Amino acid sequence: MILLSGEVGNYIYSNGRKYSYFAGNNYLGLAAHPQVKEAVIRAVEKYGVNFAASRHTTGTSDLHLELEGALASFKGEEDAVVFASGYQGNSILLEILKGSYSTIFIDQSAHASIISAIPADVVKMMYYDHCDAVHLDYLLEYNRGSKPLVITDGIFALTGEIAPLNQIYDIVRKHNALLVVDDAHATGVLGASGRGTPEHFNLPDDTNIYQTETMSKALGGYGGFISGSRALTEMIREGSPTYQASTALPPPIAAAGIASLAILRANPGLRTELIERAWQIREAVTEMDYQTTHFRTPVIPIILDSSEKAAGLSLFLEENGVIAPYMKYPARKAMHQIRIAVSVTHTDDQVSQLLELLKKWKDKNESNQDQKGSH
Ligand SMILES: Cc1ncc(COP(=O)(O)O)c(C=O)c1O
């Protein structure tokens, strides 16, 4: 296990050693940004660590309201509501939309937080083939008469794939369904202003599209949020047991959100730089003949044909000073992969080192393969 002994940036320190870090989700390098740290320290001094109370009782401060205002403005929405984690967001949304749907259609590779958000008493749920709008259409057609809700990740956490929301949206409209997009990895990354996957595909403003989002990845902080009309946020505040009965986001973390959002909005170039950098790595990895995915996102999987190989590659990188973990992560369909997470703060030298090591491992492994074949 990698035991961190300092902050997370493009490098980390673990067990007394410095590593080049291609893991986690700190895509914009905001997790330890000096302005964010300063805001947190100021908030700790003023508010302490935690209110130890739910937002619904006595856990709301001016900082929470300021953060919600800043998120609403960033999203171009009337209001936003923040809560303790992105993981909770799917539960909160499915709780308050209850009554508006009777059947849930889920991408078969959806994130664990989506699966565990399905209410126990939901009448019916069905998995559609991964990113397959045609299969989704078929299932919706076959289940006519139900009140359908479709739910998918925007960017898939492990593979960096972008859900084909343009196609899914057409199908959703055809069947008069609700669409929920878990945009944990797309907030601050995709779209002209970083608003996520619907913006990436230029989907129209449609009250039947909902996003669940997090500040814990590109924004470098912590905590989930949902934005939308004031009617929607009121439903959450007044009707979600998960929201009402869990401890509020700690105030210093709310301060981190405000600070990182300001940096994100003042520096739109960070996103384009990130996507370019990631694409450069993806292309190089593809050229080396590794199996990967082909999307302009900061998550690059290297898919291998056995867990031994994936673990072996990750270990080889680690021994040579680079962290890109072999992913043992809850998923319905396990894949043998390492996950390279790109940050805009990675330097050319770090990228070169990563690519050289990948090439070395590939060459070494292929020559082993050849030797085995010739025996
Ligand atoms: C797709 C997806 N949704 C939700 C979450 C949970 O977000 P958070 O870590 O903010 O609870 C994650 C985090 O890994 C994720 O990948």
Side-chain angles (χ1 to χ4, degrees), residues 85-87 90 111 113 153 155 157 182 184-185 214 216-217 222-223 329:
S85 78
Y87 202 97
N90 294 314
H111 188 259
S113 60
D153 303 38
I155 294 179
D182 176 338
H185 293 268
T214 182
S216 68
K217 303 192 191 299
Y222 198 78
Y329 200 73

Side-chain angles (χ1 to χ4, degrees), residues 25 27 83-90 109-114 152-158 182-186 212-217 221-225 329 339:
N25 311 288
Y27 306 127
F83 35 83
S85 78
Y87 202 97
Q88 287 184 348
N90 294 314
S109 298
H111 188 259
S113 60
I114 294 180
T152 178
D153 303 38
I155 294 179
F156 287 84
L158 297 184
D182 176 338
D183 247 349
H185 293 268
T212 53
E213 302 184 65
T214 182
M215 292 170 278
S216 68
K217 303 192 191 299
Y222 198 78
F225 72 97
Y329 200 73
R339 176 182 186 269

Side-chain angles (χ1 to χ4, degrees), residues 8-178:
V8 164
N10 50 346
Y11 289 96
I12 55 156
Y13 289 87
S14 178
N15 296 322
R17 190 172 170 192
K18 184 180 177 185
Y19 290 95
S20 179
Y21 188 62
F22 285 87
N25 311 288
N26 184 22
Y27 306 127
L28 299 176
L30 297 177
H33 191 287
Q35 276 165 253
V36 178
K37 289 203 292 192
E38 220 174 89
V40 170
I41 291 163
R42 264 187 273 120
V44 170
E45 279 167 358
K46 180 168 175 191
Y47 299 87
V49 172
N50 182 13
F51 289 144
S54 115
R55 290 289 307 280
H56 193 60
T57 56
T58 54
T60 294
S61 67
D62 50 346
L63 277 184
H64 292 93
L65 301 186
E66 187 183 338
L67 175 58
E68 289 176 338
L71 285 166
S73 153
F74 161 59
K75 295 288 296 179
E77 297 284 2
E78 214 172 22
D79 196 14
V81 58
V82 301
F83 35 83
S85 78
Y87 202 97
Q88 287 184 348
N90 294 314
S91 299
I92 289 174
L93 199 58
L94 292 186
E95 274 169 8
I96 58 132
L97 292 178
K98 247 182 166 182
S100 307
Y101 63 88
S102 61
T103 308
I104 301 186
F105 298 83
I106 311 171
D107 185 291
Q108 68 174 17
S109 298
H111 188 259
S113 60
I114 294 180
I115 317 284
S116 42
I118 309 298
D121 56 354
V122 76
V123 178
K124 204 169 176 184
M125 64 180 261
M126 309 187 84
Y127 289 102
Y128 62 91
D129 291 348
H130 181 46
C131 287
D132 188 340
V134 175
H135 189 225
L136 173 63
D137 188 23
Y138 169 81
L139 291 181
L140 283 162
E141 194 67 47
Y142 196 73
N143 288 277
R144 269 183 160 195
S146 68
K147 286 193 280 182
L149 179 146
V150 175
I151 185 162
T152 178
D153 303 38
I155 294 179
F156 287 84
L158 297 184
T159 60
E161 295 160 289
I162 302 175
L165 269 204
N166 48 346
Q167 299 167 23
I168 289 175
Y169 179 64
D170 287 345
I171 305 300
V172 155
R173 282 197 53 199
K174 177 175 156 194
H175 295 278
N176 204 16
L178 303 180

